[in-house]
Every structure is written in structure tokens, then in C-alpha cells.
Amino acid sequence: MNHKMMKGGRPKIAIIDPNTFAVIGLKGMLQNILPIMTVDSFASVEELKVAGIENYFHYFAAMNVVVESRSFFHDIARKTIVLTTSNDPTTHLSEFKCLCVNMPEDHLVKALLALEQYGHPHGKNLPDLPKALKGKILSDREIEVLSLVAQGKINKEIADQLNISLTTVISHRKNIQEKLGIKSVSALTIYAVMHGYVDINKI
């Protein structure tokens, strides 16, 4: 991999979108899904060019930005994901991978995870996770509970499935959140999928 793509040992992703709120939300999700990446944001292609396009591993660009600079993105189409507000495939740009951002957070997280797994199955072409993220932080039982949380099970269902008390499930969930420093179900789901604790098709 080109050493220019690295910043402090991390490959970089660019978001090109003049919508500040959209950028903040997507940036947070990408940093959760791909903790090994550094995510930079730009309001325009001109800003990206100043930073140097060769520095980036992937580009997430708003539909209007891509349409206005189509020839620019055509040359990096394989690395570009177009952000669209439409879920209708007939409105998507055919030569690009498209991601509809107009959906609930859990669906968007799943779509991002699916894109990551499609583009980098089993971590292909991605650098190794830092040792802190690679290590086994959770116990086997906590991993079982996390997997079921990621699958959308409520505490009572988890207790029934694992044949443990409701209090024990709540205790495990508290320990998982404290160990990982993660509170939201979406973020826990991302962690579970990225570490292979649950199949994306089960969430």
C-alpha cells in the first residue's frame, strides 16, 4: 500500500459533501465500522485535490458532487461510494457503488458493513487491526450475549436462549459496555460484525 495513504499508520478515507450534518454523522459511523481508518472530510472536490487524491483509500461523495465532477470520479470509480438520498436503484449512477443515506441508523450501519464486507471480505486489502483492537477483550459468555444483542434480541429472549437469568443478562451487557466503551446497540452491532462474532446476514 502507498505509504502516503497512511497517517500515523492508518489508511485514510475521504468524505466529499458540503452538508456538514451529513458529514458529521457518516464520519462517526465510518470511524466505528473501520476503527483502523482516519476519516477526513471536504466540502468540495477542489479541497480534496489540495489535500492530494492519492492519499485516500476510499471516497464517499455526495451524489451532486459526483454529478458535477463526473470525469474526476470516473477515474477513481472503483474506490468511490456515492451517497444518495434515493433507495431506488434506477436513480443510482450505474458505474458507481451507491449508498442510500436516507434510512434509519440501524439500516445504514448494516449497509455500510455490507459494503465493507463486499469490498474487503475477511479483511482483504485492509491493514491489520491495532493490537488493542485485535485482542480478545470479552469472555465467551459475553461474546454470546453480544452476538444476540447484535441480532436484535431483547434481554428476556437472550436469557431464555442462553438459559440464564434476566439479571445475569443485564450484568453481562453492562460489563460488555464498560469493557468496550460502547453504549449504543448500533455501535455494539458494528463491533460484533467486525470481530466476526455475528454474521451480517443475521442482523
Side-chain angles (χ1 to χ4, degrees), residues 36 45 88 100 102 117 121 127 143 152 168 170 173 181:
I36 53 172
V45 169
D88 180 0
C100 177
N102 192 17
Q117 290 200 336
I143 289 169
T168 303
I170 292 166
R173 287 189 68 155

Side-chain angles (χ1 to χ4, degrees), residues 9-119:
R10 291 170 178 249
K12 296 162 74 177
I13 288 176
I15 302 173
I16 312 98
D17 190 339
N19 183 332
T20 305
F21 286 112
V23 168
I24 290 168
L26 181 60
K27 191 170 185 176
M29 283 189 191
L30 287 172
Q31 286 170 330
N32 276 331
I33 292 169
L34 294 167
I36 53 172
M37 299 284 191
T38 293
V39 184
D40 294 336
S41 57
F42 305 93
S44 67
V45 169
E46 287 65 38
E47 282 187 18
L48 172 64
K49 286 177 178 175
V50 170
I53 65 164
E54 71 282 356
N55 293 338
Y56 294 93
F57 200 71
H58 278 302
Y59 308 87
F60 284 79
M63 172 76 85
N64 62 313
V65 172
V66 175
V67 169
E68 287 166 13
S69 306
R70 196 149 182 167
S71 59
F72 170 81
F73 285 102
H74 186 270
D75 294 337
I76 53 171
R78 195 175 52 83
K79 294 179 171 185
T80 300
I81 292 99
V82 179
L83 306 172
T84 173
T85 55
S86 171
N87 225 343
D88 180 0
T90 62
T91 65
H92 295 176
L93 302 176
S94 58
E95 68 266 43
F96 296 97
K97 282 262 175 296
C98 290
L99 176 67
C100 177
V101 292
N102 192 17
M103 58 173 81
E105 183 187 2
D106 56 340
H107 290 128
L108 188 54
V109 164
K110 187 172 180 180
L112 283 165
L113 286 167
L115 271 176
E116 187 277 332
Q117 290 200 336
Y118 174 83

Side-chain angles (χ1 to χ4, degrees), residues 9 29 35 100 104-105 141 150 160 163 178 197 202:
M29 283 189 191
C100 177
E105 183 187 2
R141 179 59 96 188
D160 290 345
N163 202 23
E178 285 176 358
Y197 297 148
K202 290 184 177 177

Side-chain angles (χ1 to χ4, degrees), residues 123-178:
K124 183 183 171 190
N125 301 327
L126 287 175
D128 283 342
L129 284 169
K131 277 185 183 172
L133 291 171
K134 249 182 171 178
K136 187 182 172 191
I137 298 169
L138 305 177
S139 69
D140 289 343
R141 179 59 96 188
E142 286 165 348
I143 289 169
E144 284 181 304
V145 171
L146 175 62
S147 170
L148 294 170
V149 168
Q151 290 174 56
K153 307 283 187 190
I154 60 171
N155 289 345
K156 186 177 184 318
E157 290 173 316
I158 295 170
D160 290 345
Q161 193 161 332
L162 298 179
N163 202 23
I164 56 179
S165 73
L166 195 56
T167 308
T168 303
V169 173
I170 292 166
S171 174
H172 281 314
R173 287 189 68 155
K174 186 169 175 286
N175 290 340
I176 291 165
Q177 290 173 343
E178 285 176 358

